[in-house]
Structures are given as C-alpha cells and as structure tokens.
Amino acid sequence: MANALVTGITGQDGSYLAEFLLAKGYTVYGVVRRASTENFERIEHIKHEINFLQSDLLDQLSLIHAVEESRPTEVYNLAAQSFVPTSWVQPVLTGEFTGLGVTKILEAIRLVDKKIRFYQASSSEMFGKAAEVPQTEKTPFYPRSPYGAAKVYGHWMTVNYRESFGIHAASGILFNHESPRRGKEFVSRKITDAVARIKTGKLDKLRLGNLDARRDWGYAGDYVRAMWLMLQQDEALDYVIATGRQHTVRELARIAFARVGLDYERYVEVDPKFFRPAEVDSLLGDCTLAHRNLGWQPQVSFEELIHMMVDADLERHQNMG
Ligand code: NDP
Ligand code: GDR
C-alpha cells in the first residue's frame, strides 16, 4: 500500500489528515521537530500507527532524509507558522518556515523522486484585501501580512515546480477551517473555549478584536478530504476550498454563547490590543472548480461546527472540574 509523508502532523489539519490516510490504508510518516516536551495532544489516539521522522522545515538535509526514508507516493506540506498576528512579531522566521520551507520540501522531492505527488497548504490569506467577491482560483493575490506574503511565495513555488519540472504539485487555497482541535489563539476556538469557561464559572469576560471581520469558515475534517482528492487527479491544479458562506466574528460569538443559553453581549468586550496592523476585512470563497473536478463539497454547516466546538470545550472544562 502507499506511503504518505505529512509535515505539520501535530497540528490541527495534520491530525485529521493522518486519521483520514490511515483509514484509507496508507502507511503514514509524520515530520516532527524536537521539543523539550512532547506535543502529540492531537494525535495521541493514533500515535502508535504513525512513523515519526525528526525533521524541520528550516533544515534542508533533514527533509531530504525524511523523503528518502519514507519513500512516499504523496507528500502533504501542512507545516507552517500559521498564526497571522505572530507573523508581524516574527516576520523573518515566518518567511523562512511558511515560505522558504516550501522550496526546501520541493527540492527534496526533486532530488529524491520527481514522481512523488505534492500538496501545498496555501491559504485564502493570499487574497487579503480581496480584489473581487467571491474569490476563485483566478482572483489576484493581495496579501496583508507577512504570513500572507510568505504563503504567496510558497504557492508560486509550487506552481513553478509543477511547470518547470513536471512534478504533480497541487496547491489547495483553503479558507478558514476549524474544529475542536483548533489552536486556542484562533478566534473560533478562543470564543468556544471562553464560552465553556464562562459557563463553568472560570471566566467573566471575553476580550476580542475586530468583531466585524467576515470569514468563510468550514470544518477541518471536510477540508483534509479535499487535500487527498487533489492528489488523486491525473492533472495537478490549484483549488479553492471553501463553503461559499460568510459570517462575522460577532455572529460566531452569538451562536457560540447561545449554544449554552448565554447572551454574548453581556460577556464580549472589544480590546484594541487584538486589532491587527492591517486587517483582512472579508473573505468568501467560490469552490465551483473543486466541486466539478473533485466532487468535493463541505458536509458540516457553520452552526454545526460552532456547536461541535462549544460542546467539546464544555465537556472538557466540566471534566476538569
Ligand atoms: P497548526 O498551526 O495547527 O499546525 C502547524 C504545524 O506546523 C504544527 O504541526 C507545527 O509543529 C508545524 N511546524 C511549524 N513550524 C515547523 C517547522 N519549522 N518544521 C516542522 N514543522 C513545523 O496549523 P493548521 O493545522 O491549522 O494548518 C495547517 C496548514 O494549513 C498550515 O500551513 C496553515 O498555514 C495552512 N492553512 C490553514 C488554514 C486553517 O484555517 N486552519 C487555512 C489555510 C491554510 P509543532 O507542533 O511542533 O509546532
Ligand atoms: P485568520 O484566523 O487570521 O483568518 O487566519 P483568526 O481566527 O486568527 O482570525 C479571524 C478573524 O477574526 C478576527 N478577530 C480575532 N482573531 C483572533 N485570533 N483573536 C481575537 O481576539 C480576534 N478578534 C477578532 C481577526 O482580526 C480576523 O479578522 C487563519 C489561520 O488558520 C491561517 O493560518 C489561515 O491561512 C487562514 O485562517 C485562512
């Protein structure tokens, strides 16, 4: 059966993709970087089924070794410094992980075996100050953060290795996707975790930034299926993956608080500390191409997603006592 190599396997998407690939019968190899404390919370339940390889996006040789050792038919590059605000604090490091890291993996593939199929985790943040609504594969990029700019570079390198060396390299332009495994600094999880803490008497107020920002939010479990589908096609292309529906942060908060019978207006406060130097006000994706070519469409609605996240956080906080 096929081998798959996944970078970013300890992250939200990596954990869902690993589950998905294992269920399909793949032998899964996961790139992990050494930490003083093991960071396997999201993959605890499947870690005995994964072959871990120590490597880092900053370290070219370790990536070549990872590809040589795993002999994959498919490589999924999910690793990145993925939190937009941190990219203003550490712009150079973000460029090295999120941008140049892509080239390092592509080089490893080119050296070891050009027949390996490659998936790059591109992002709707590349559209930034969006030139049109909704955004498609043809919408020009206008990134608004060092993170977005680094993703644009990684995206174009993926296209270039496809066109220059004939590598089956696909770039998934994924819009925001969330789950109970989302990092707690991202707005959806920050809200659902706070709802659970407020409900269990551990927190009084929730401080947020721009409540009017609009995003096209989907469920991570649906989105990893799209990644895999892209690598099963005869021709590698770029695909927008989105729900085609948009909500504000305010609506997200309202639905999350309402799930436990609370009114968000009593608990949410705006704190300018969370405003960004340049905001991406509005993103909305059009996934017609993915629907047509991949037969992909999202299965979990926005409300179901937020309810799922609130329920999981509430259960966790109740069990913690
Ligand atoms: P997470 O932040 O949850 O996970 C990021 C992963 O990257 C972690 O496993 C992390 O490892 C790893 N990583 C970071 N730096 C390095 C490095 N130098 N070397 C090796 N591994 C590293 O992100 P998500 O799962 O949410 O996202 C997956 C990918 O998809 C990212 O590239 C993200 O930018 C992109 N994306 C995400 C979207 C979303 O809405 N979730 C939308 C569009 C794109 P560690 O555990 O050691 O920190
Ligand atoms: P984003 O996700 O920047 O879109 O990037 P995030 O959840 O951080 O922000 C979404 C929107 O919410 C607004 N916002 C807040 N955001 C955070 N984190 N904390 C707050 O308190 C807060 N208040 C309001 C933000 O200003 C923003 O407009 C995510 C990441 O997963 C990227 O890696 C990925 O590429 C994109 O989604 C698509």
Side-chain angles (χ1 to χ4, degrees):
M1 191 55 204
N3 294 358
L5 177 65
V6 181
T7 72
I9 199 156
T10 52
Q12 170 188 260
D13 290 6
S15 68
Y16 283 105
L17 181 66
E19 277 174 8
F20 180 89
L21 294 172
L22 287 169
K24 288 241 171 259
Y26 282 77
T27 301
V28 175
Y29 289 81
V31 164
V32 286
R33 47 183 182 163
R34 197 239 159 216
S36 63
T37 311
E38 206 180 68
N39 175 21
F40 286 3
E41 204 182 309
R42 297 185 177 102
I43 46 171
E44 196 58 44
H45 56 299
I46 46 172
K47 71 176 183 186
H48 300 296
E49 297 173 74
I50 297 170
N51 304 284
F52 293 106
L53 297 169
Q54 227 178 61
S55 178
D56 194 300
L57 285 187
L58 297 184
D59 192 79
Q60 177 77 70
L61 261 186
S62 71
L63 287 171
I64 295 171
H65 286 147
V67 176
E68 272 174 342
E69 207 163 311
S70 54
R71 286 281 159 191
T73 51
E74 296 169 11
V75 171
Y76 295 85
N77 182 36
L78 308 185
Q81 189 302 95
S82 75
F83 190 45
V84 173
T86 296
S87 79
W88 280 289
V89 183
Q90 296 185 297
V92 175
L93 192 71
T94 301
E96 282 170 354
F97 280 13
T98 306
L100 265 183
V102 184
T103 309
K104 294 201 177 99
I105 303 220
L106 285 164
E107 277 293 274
I109 289 173
R110 190 166 74 91
L111 276 171
V112 176
D113 179 1
K114 282 196 279 212
K115 290 194 297 303
I116 295 170
R117 295 187 169 198
F118 176 71
Y119 173 82
Q120 167 57 13
S122 286
S123 163
S124 52
E125 280 293 295
M126 301 190 305
F127 297 125
K129 195 172 174 180
E132 60 181 359
V133 183
Q135 294 87 52
T136 72
E137 293 78 8
K138 294 195 164 50
T139 303
F141 298 139
Y142 191 150
R144 297 268 280 170
S145 64
Y147 169 83
K151 282 286 181 189
V152 170
Y153 169 78
H155 174 81
W156 282 118
M157 288 309 283
T158 304
V159 174
N160 270 267
Y161 273 58
R162 177 166 77 218
E163 294 178 355
S164 309
F165 305 118
I167 293 174
H168 189 293
S171 175
I173 307 174
L174 271 52
F175 282 61
N176 300 52
H177 47 279
E178 322 293 310
S179 74
R181 297 182 201 162
R182 184 60 141 153
K184 288 200 194 97
E185 67 275 37
F186 299 94
V187 78
S188 62
R189 185 76 196 287
K190 182 174 171 183
I191 292 173
T192 63
D193 184 63
V195 164
R197 284 193 288 151
I198 288 170
K199 187 68 181 173
T200 51
K202 298 174 191 167
L203 186 73
D204 295 329
K205 291 282 178 203
L206 168 60
R207 288 179 182 80
L208 295 172
N210 178 12
L211 299 183
D212 298 317
R214 306 178 81 87
R215 288 289 184 279
D216 178 332
W217 277 289
Y219 171 52
D222 282 339
Y223 285 38
V224 299
R225 196 172 65 249
M227 298 174 186
W228 176 80
L229 282 167
M230 284 178 219
L231 296 201
Q232 311 316 307
Q233 309 307 308
D234 291 339
E235 189 190 1
L237 286 176
D238 307 322
Y239 289 98
V240 160
I241 300 297
T243 69
R245 286 172 201 276
Q246 196 186 46
H247 299 270
T248 58
V249 171
R250 189 187 307 280
E251 281 162 9
L252 198 164
R254 183 180 54 72
I255 292 170
F257 278 86
R259 178 66 172 175
V260 297
L262 299 177
D263 176 3
Y264 82 97
E265 289 188 80
R266 290 189 52 201
Y267 302 96
V268 171
E269 283 178 1
V270 171
D271 184 341
K273 186 172 87 181
F274 296 108
F275 291 166
R276 299 175 178 191
E279 176 64 294
V280 170
D281 295 315
S282 174
L283 290 173
L284 178 65
D286 175 351
C287 69
T288 305
L289 187 70
H291 185 51
R292 197 167 58 220
N293 287 8
L294 310 176
W296 181 86
Q297 56 186 29
Q299 283 165 6
V300 175
S301 73
F302 180 68
E303 289 218 342
E304 285 168 346
L305 169 66
I306 302 308
H307 289 173
M308 178 202 304
M309 293 174 69
V310 170
D311 294 353
D313 277 323
L314 192 59
E315 193 186 336
R316 199 168 46 83
H317 280 286
Q318 280 167 342
N319 289 342
M320 276 196 279

